[in-house]
Amino acid sequence: MQHTRGAPGHAGLIRLGAVRSLGAAKRKATHEAFVCAVCDTGWDYLDDKRDPSAGWTRC
């Protein structure tokens, strides 16, 4: 489910690692990159309590 903080990703996602962002660091948010092992689609996950649109976004 996109743009929903805390929503689980699907089983085919592979974590690529943290994305370094000064803006996210200042807000104490985490930003991570993922790729789907099945269809090779890129996904980002932003965990930010202050951003109502945080969560999964397709790259």
Side-chain angles (χ1 to χ4, degrees):
M1 183 182 287
Q2 291 191 43
H3 305 292
T4 304
R5 195 176 139 264
H10 64 82
L13 292 177
I14 298 170
R15 184 179 184 268
L16 299 177
V19 176
R20 291 183 172 177
S21 163
L22 183 58
K26 285 182 179 179
R27 294 187 317 268
K28 296 183 180 177
T30 58
H31 186 186
E32 296 183 83
F34 294 82
V35 67
C36 178
V38 177
C39 67
D40 204 34
T41 301
W43 289 89
D44 281 339
Y45 182 76
L46 178 63
D47 187 6
D48 186 352
K49 294 178 183 177
R50 298 179 187 164
D51 186 355
S53 67
W56 292 101
T57 54
R58 207 169 165 185
C59 297

